[in-house]
Amino acid sequence: MAAEIVNPRSDAETDTESDEPFDPVFALHRGGKLAVQATVPVRDRDELSLAYTPGVARVCTAIAENPELVHDYTWKSQVVAVVTDGTAVLGLGDIGPEASLPVMEGKAILFKQFGGVDAVPIALATTDADEIVETVVRLAPSFGGVNLEDIAAPRCFEIERKLQERLDIPVFHDDQHGTAVVTLAALRNAAKLTGRELGDLRAVISGAGAAGVAIAKFLLAAGIGDVAVTDRKGVVSTDRDDLTDVKREIAGLTNKAGLSGSLESALKGADVFIGVSGGTVPEAAVASMAQDAFVFAMANPDPEVHPDVAHRYAAVVATGRSDFPNQINNVLAFPGIFAGALQVRASRITEGMKIAAAEALAAVVGDDLAADFVIPSPFDERVAPAVTAAVAAAARLDGVARR
């Protein structure tokens, strides 16, 4: 499948058909952003007989006799399903499956552009976790992997877990794990820049949704000194009686310092702030952080701490925006992660594969490491090959590779 930009209307056509000013965003999206493209020619009777009947029957029979041949003689091992229910789309929230499609098409383009992986957007007209699981399980024979996208917490955790239990192909919720991988890569380089190790750092995460929980677990797996997660009511701690099952679990894993109270109080003396929640962090709270602190304010379009404020106190500042240095962008991770997993026909994506992806991503920066360059650009052509190779190697090491 080829990713194509379809824009049949020119500036002139728009001006003559409507009094509305030309909008390049709507012009680019008209007709959708994807198209299916054949990889073999069908120009005459002989080619038709090879690509379709009667020749295709021989391939079908071979696959029926040896199901593993599906990877060699179909697109299965090269294509990912991008699945959503439209309940947590970008910063727009629960806008429904139809309205989510432009984002899912965009995600498919990024898979192809940055990882060479074909992807098919699938927007489901249900928000029931079990219905989503059953639907994806039934679709799975057509795909080599499943990328869950923009599904609201806490259902996203349940859906991912159940699909991983039932399928023998990679299932990856990018809002969780893609964000965590890129965050760890940037954090490793920030620590290196300031002469510290991950184990020396205490982090505070603002946001206990999909991204916040995944980042906390991932940083712990990578060896961070301590991390506390906060929600609207403050630090997610074991002394609270209002926690969901997911938050209760994360409370038991995090916060070795025994913090309680507000985000602002937790930031006193903290080495790292990671924002994945929106809202605004007062400047005084940023000023109370440790010397040479890191501020990763990743809410879009408005970071929790504006970079101009963060730079007054922090040694390294990162956001989720492309118009500031150090953009924490999932596109740095998911194309290469899936490309590596598909390359070796991995049965799942392990913690080791994700850590390998983060380490490879951090290593791309190399000797160019600086306060305004702790993470590479998505357009750096070294990124996807480095992540792909590292993930494939880690899959073999973890025993989940099947070739």
Side-chain angles (χ1 to χ4, degrees), residues 33 89-90 92 95 99-108 149-150:
K33 302 193 292 286
V89 181
L90 295 178
L92 304 174
I95 60 175
S100 76
L101 268 176
V103 177
M104 300 308 114
E105 289 183 2
K107 194 79 173 190
E149 190 75 20
D150 293 349

Side-chain angles (χ1 to χ4, degrees), residues 14 17 22 25 30 82 108 135 139-140 145 168 194 235 278 303 306 343 364 375 391:
T14 305
E17 292 176 10
F22 174 73
V25 172
R30 182 172 289 278
V82 180
T135 301
L139 290 170
D168 66 346
T194 55
V235 176
H306 192 279
Q343 185 181 97
V364 169
I375 200 75
V391 168

